[in-house]
Amino acid sequence: MKILVTGGAGYIGSVTVELLVETGAQVVVLDDLSLGHRAAVHPSAELAVGDLADRAAVDEVLARTRPDAVMHFAARSQVGESMREPFRYVGDNVRNGLNLIESMVEHGVRRFILSSTAALFGEPSKIPIDEQERIVPGSPYGESKHMLERILAWTEVVHGMRFAALRYFNAAGASEARGEHHDPETHLIPLVLQVALGQRERITVFGDDYPTRDGTCIRDYIHIIDLAQAHILALQALDQGSRTYNLGNGQGFSVMEVIEAARAVTGHPIAHVLGERRPGDPAALVADSSKIRAELGWSPRFPELRSIVDSAWRWHRAHPQGYAE
Ligand code: UFG
């Protein structure tokens, strides 16, 4: 099977490409390298450097490579940044996704896996969050992914597109060869590990007055390899119908608990200070992933927070500058 992976030079995309290649798939990565890294692309995958905003470039890649399916990772993905630059988020994520979907319809490619998000559920009515939860995005980022889910639903009705929307909770950890490197980094686990590596003096905890057990935000951290595996299962099941899944470990950890886990894994004291709340952050997001477990037989191989942090720590120690030359 030939798969086109947009954003395959990014964090989640590159690890999914690694797994796809291991399963024997032929992979073409489409990435403009604005946020991704050339070195993250698996050497067995073809890299096409191009921008999804450029419809002609998307047409060219689809016409030339004729994939059986597309996995669409390329997007802006930071909740906090989207609260400062809402138009950029809704604009880029929706326009680029729409370019891709329209071009796929024109080229007869009708299998789509969407990177969706837990940010669809601003302040959920209950925890853990299942697929019945009302969608009220808490940020322009979440809204942009909701719009793409809706566009795909109509593309199925009108054009027969089959899609799976995977609503990720917090992707974390690393494979042996590929890990998390954003510039600038904003994510909790890599920032905490930068303190342990001596690259940063302390971590700022964004608020401790949330209605949670220790007052800091609770998130559901899912190992990147488990997340990538879910894409492969979803793709295999696509011909039996479109589907939407909430994808997490089902267990929530507070910001302070993540810092504690990193202290235990690294043996470093990891200094922290208290800061303001970050706009757009919900108090708690934890997935109920029973649907994907029941329907696809997915289950996390690395559910323990410690093993997730440990895999990230191994990668960051081996690559203290990430993918930078
Ligand atoms: N946090 C801090 N200090 C920091 C960075 C983060 O306290 O320096 C806190 C945040 O406030 C949040 C938690 O750590 O409560 C996790 O923050 P991240 O930035 O690592 O991740 P987010 O939960 O904001 O967002 C991630 C992805 C989104 C996705 C979301 C789904 O970046 O794309 O998970 O839960 F939508």
Side-chain angles (χ1 to χ4, degrees):
M1 208 176 200
K2 191 187 249 189
I3 321 288
L4 178 70
V5 180
T6 76
Y11 172 43
I12 306 176
S14 66
V15 175
T16 306
V17 169
E18 181 179 321
L19 259 69
L20 281 169
V21 167
E22 282 168 10
T23 63
Q26 214 182 327
V27 180
V28 179
V29 168
L30 174 59
D31 199 300
D32 68 356
L33 300 179
S34 62
L35 300 168
H37 310 275
R38 191 180 287 274
V41 178
H42 194 286
S44 300
E46 174 192 332
L47 171 62
V49 179
D51 187 348
L52 289 170
D54 178 355
R55 175 62 200 277
V58 179
D59 287 341
E60 187 277 322
V61 171
L62 282 172
R64 180 171 59 78
T65 61
R66 307 212 141 278
D68 300 294
V70 172
M71 292 189 181
H72 178 44
F73 295 91
R76 301 191 170 277
S77 66
Q78 290 174 29
V79 173
E81 186 182 53
S82 83
M83 296 297 286
R84 298 189 301 274
E85 301 188 63
F87 304 133
R88 195 168 184 198
Y89 266 73
V90 177
D92 286 4
N93 283 358
V94 175
R95 263 194 301 267
N96 292 353
L98 197 53
N99 268 347
L100 178 64
I101 294 164
E102 276 190 64
S103 182
M104 285 172 65
V105 168
E106 280 180 22
H107 290 85
V109 185
R110 289 198 166 75
R111 294 191 190 93
F112 195 102
I113 310 280
L114 174 70
S115 297
S116 189
T117 176
L120 253 47
F121 312 109
E123 290 293 351
S125 63
K126 62 173 175 26
I127 297 284
I129 306 166
D130 65 20
E131 290 79 3
Q132 308 309 315
E133 179 65 40
R134 216 157 61 94
I135 295 176
V136 186
S139 61
Y141 165 63
E143 193 70 55
S144 73
K145 293 290 184 165
H146 179 46
M147 288 179 187
L148 286 174
E149 286 195 4
R150 296 304 308 150
I151 290 167
L152 284 168
W154 286 112
T155 310
E156 171 162 45
V157 172
V158 179
H159 294 291
M161 177 77 80
R162 284 284 171 83
F163 71 95
L166 301 179
R167 296 164 172 171
Y168 314 152
F169 284 61
N170 286 54
S175 72
E176 282 305 313
R178 291 175 182 82
E180 186 165 12
H181 174 184
H182 300 102
D183 194 13
E185 189 53 76
T186 62
H187 292 91
L188 180 63
I189 291 177
L191 287 176
V192 165
L193 295 179
Q194 284 177 8
V195 180
L197 280 172
Q199 297 174 339
R200 180 177 291 272
E201 277 195 13
R202 63 186 79 83
I203 181 80
T204 303
V205 175
F206 295 150
D208 71 346
D209 57 351
Y210 286 94
T212 60
R213 50 186 175 261
D214 64 13
T216 67
C217 287
I218 289 182
R219 294 289 180 274
D220 179 334
Y221 296 88
I222 170 171
H223 197 293
I224 191 79
I225 292 178
D226 290 323
L227 197 57
Q229 186 59 33
H231 290 73
I232 290 170
L233 295 174
L235 179 61
Q236 288 165 352
L238 216 51
D239 289 344
Q240 280 86 60
S242 293
R243 48 200 70 230
T244 296
Y245 296 120
N246 292 357
L247 195 52
N249 265 323
Q251 214 189 333
F253 293 95
S254 72
V255 173
M256 285 314 302
E257 287 164 349
V258 170
I259 295 171
E260 281 304 333
R263 285 174 178 149
V265 164
T266 64
H268 188 283
I270 307 183
H272 74 275
V273 288
L274 179 63
E276 295 289 303
R277 285 185 176 200
R278 186 173 65 179
D281 276 348
L285 291 172
V286 180
D288 178 342
S289 292
S290 4
K291 189 178 169 206
I292 189 169
R293 286 172 184 261
E295 291 188 8
L296 302 187
W298 175 83
S299 83
R301 279 169 59 205
F302 308 102
E304 303 293 328
L305 180 64
R306 285 251 185 123
S307 69
I308 294 173
V309 174
D310 185 55
S311 73
W313 177 232
R314 276 187 276 123
W315 191 80
H316 284 285
R317 258 192 318 182
H319 305 87
Q321 304 306 324
Y323 292 108
E325 299 288 307

